[in-house]
Amino acid sequence: MTLSPKVCFTLQNSRGVTHAEKLFGAQTEQPFKGVRISDDYGAYRALPGQQQLCWAHLYRCIRDLRYNDNLPEEQLPHVTKWYEQFAAIYEDLRLYLDEPYDEVVRQTQSDELWARVQTLVSTIMVGPEPTKLTKLKAQLMRVGQAKLFTCLVANTPCDNNRAERDLRQLVLKRKRSFGSKSEKGAQALATVLSICTTHWRMNPGNYFRTLATIS
């Protein structure tokens, strides 16, 4: 897989579906046709293109439950086993993505991992199950194989960690300055940071000199 150094930020006044649709051209003649890597936030589900659910979000959900100090002792063995098996699936997924791409092999790997997810979800706990785990199981079955393993067949990352890292500086800037005071200010900030971040990724060794040549 190839990762582009180009970054494009856009700032809006909410996380509403209207802004997401505009970003991906949902109502245009040329909607987005690639793979979106995101969490399961409702505004993202019906956008154009394929969706790859972020495995880092899913993993953190079960990891946080496993290491929750308030988890009842009688639920710990089941949650621990569930966590370990889910973590093993996630690890194998990342290993597969590091292998040379072969479409037939990747589809076979997708089928194998999906079968493991289904088996894991079907495990029944004796006694009351943690609500968080029940919801995670339901989520996995609802999104299905396509949104969990599109990354294998389409040869894309299985998480949006890079996007979150790219957003970190913008989020810190917004937090420290209490956000933009106007829509024009927000647009200006998004444009400047898009240019600077992209330029830094493309010319890290000669950043300031080449940035000065931009007219």
Side-chain angles (χ1 to χ4, degrees), residues 39-76:
D39 60 22
D40 201 25
Y41 181 52
Y44 304 148
R45 293 175 188 168
L47 295 176
Q50 296 174 285
Q51 182 182 5
Q52 167 62 49
L53 211 60
C54 175
W55 271 79
H57 282 80
L58 298 172
Y59 173 73
R60 285 197 294 266
C61 179
I62 184 60
R63 181 199 62 191
D64 292 348
L65 178 62
R66 163 62 181 85
Y67 293 104
N68 186 338
D69 293 335
N70 296 319
L71 185 69
E73 186 175 347
E74 62 272 16
Q75 295 180 345
L76 183 58

Side-chain angles (χ1 to χ4, degrees), residues 176-193:
R176 291 168 180 167
S177 62
F178 301 101
S180 302
K181 296 182 179 180
S182 67
E183 184 176 347
K184 286 187 177 180
Q187 293 175 350
L189 177 61
T191 300
V192 169
L193 285 180

